[in-house]
Amino acid sequence: MFGILGLGVAVATIEFYRKFYAVAEEAAYAGSDSCKDEEDSFFVRIMKKELEYTKEQLESFINHHMDAVIITDLEGRILRVNEAYEKVYGWKAHEVVGKTYYEIAGAFSEDVHENIKKTVAEKEAINRVEVVRARKDGSLVDLRITISPIFNGKDELIGLSGVCVDISEAKKARKELDLLHRKLKESELKYRTLFEYANDAIYLLEIGSNHFPSRFIEVNEAGCKRFGYTREELLSMPCQDIIPRDSDIVRKTVEEIRQGNLSFTLQSQFTFKSGEVKKLEYSGKLFNIENKKVLLIVSRDRTEYLETEELLQKSEKLAAVGQLATAIAHEIRNPLTAIKGFMQLLTEKASKEELTYMNIISSEIERIEMITDEFMSVAKPQAVTFQSIDLQLLIQQVILLLQPQATMKNIFIELHSYGELPLVYCESNQMKQVFINILKNAIEAMPSGGEIKVELRQKDNNHLHIQIIDEGVGISKDRIKHLGEPFYSIKEDGIGLGLMICFNIIQQHKGTLSIESEVNKGTNVEICLPLK
């Protein structure tokens, strides 16, 4: 099949043979008899056959070309079009042949034709120019046009040939493809933004044949911060170097995968390389990418939420305790007042032997009053007066008060002060209650006797630290976290309000109270109070 330039060469060849044949035939008839011999006639017949053969080839090329073909002279007059032209433009051959470009609606203007002619005169084809043209019915069609020059045997420009390719469908498909690419890019940008800037940690993990995560495929910024590595470090390290296989989080995840669960939500606790322990809730989705099993993990830090929930539960318990305490204290105080009044009358008339019992009853009544006061302080905190207190002196008074009880159990309470201690801004009665409760707990925790150390030191310019260390039976770790909750006590006859009141008082003083203990080795209670 001829190319575009082949079309121009073929037309030029026909033109050359046609003119040569005309000259030869004219010479044959106008010349001498020697020009009409058989040899000359044979030569003319051969050239005529060659011309006819070339003409047939050109006709076949033009007629059967799948794209629209148009041939014009130098004036822009259309000499020939093929069937494909009729289909593309809607014009029939007899409607356009003999007319110029600019006489047909939607074709080139005269100025454009002149510019084209100048360009191709320099033997330069106009290649693959995309244009929009009007059909006979006025509709528009997208075309890719190539225009080539036609030269005769003397290398003279005698015409133009054009091939028009209908690219409407291709252009439409290209627009749709561009639109699809743009949408895909926008969608990718949206998901990438959601992925990168999500508050939750997101991980994409490759799952090995043993169902264990083998490596990180992708991770967002929140996930990098949580583990304390850069993205490049996480993607280059084996998964087991970051999350140990024996960790609770891996064990639960592998168990879900082995059970065939494609999606799951779990809760676990994990210790990060910084030493920070977080309670996590994570959702997993298992799927395949390029014949590889992949796990998408979205992990959320639930530590603060669970702590808040725990505080809320404690608050609800405390509210219930307050209501209960108010009711109990009110019901007890009324009859207690009457009992005290009658006891005073009986004491005045009692014998010496009866007086002994009366004193015991009176002390127990006072103890009941003290308990009801504690109930009332839980239900309705009393107005307090803060002032600068010598905490060392206050603790000495508490030790003096409790030393007889300690001595009976073979316990010695020792006070150590380190350096010159400043005054502490606090409410003396409340702080005295705190130290009484804690020291009484220490004494009761040492049935075999021993030593209780009370140490005071100023660790910085703003806080005073008090440590109360005993050698008692200790407390297990699973029970320490519940200390301070209402109605929770490790003593058989305890009601769980003593420590709760201590925690509340220290909290009101903007301080902290922490408890460390080990079974059979003792307990260390540390109180930190601000100086101002």
Side-chain angles (χ1 to χ4, degrees), residues 346-365:
L346 292 173
T347 302
E348 295 175 0
K349 299 178 181 180
S351 62
K352 187 176 182 181
E353 184 179 357
E354 291 172 341
L355 191 60
T356 304
Y357 296 108
M358 294 294 183
N359 290 334
I360 295 174
I361 294 172
S362 296
S363 65
E364 290 301 316
I365 290 174

Side-chain angles (χ1 to χ4, degrees), residues 16-30:
F16 170 77
Y17 276 121
R18 186 182 65 77
K19 289 186 177 181
F20 184 85
Y21 172 72
V23 172
E25 194 174 45
E26 183 180 350
Y29 284 101

Side-chain angles (χ1 to χ4, degrees), residues 110-126:
E110 188 172 1
D111 293 338
V112 174
H113 175 73
E114 288 300 321
N115 290 332
I116 292 172
K117 190 165 65 172
K118 288 179 183 179
T119 302
V120 298
E122 302 295 329
K123 296 185 179 180
E124 294 182 9
I126 298 174

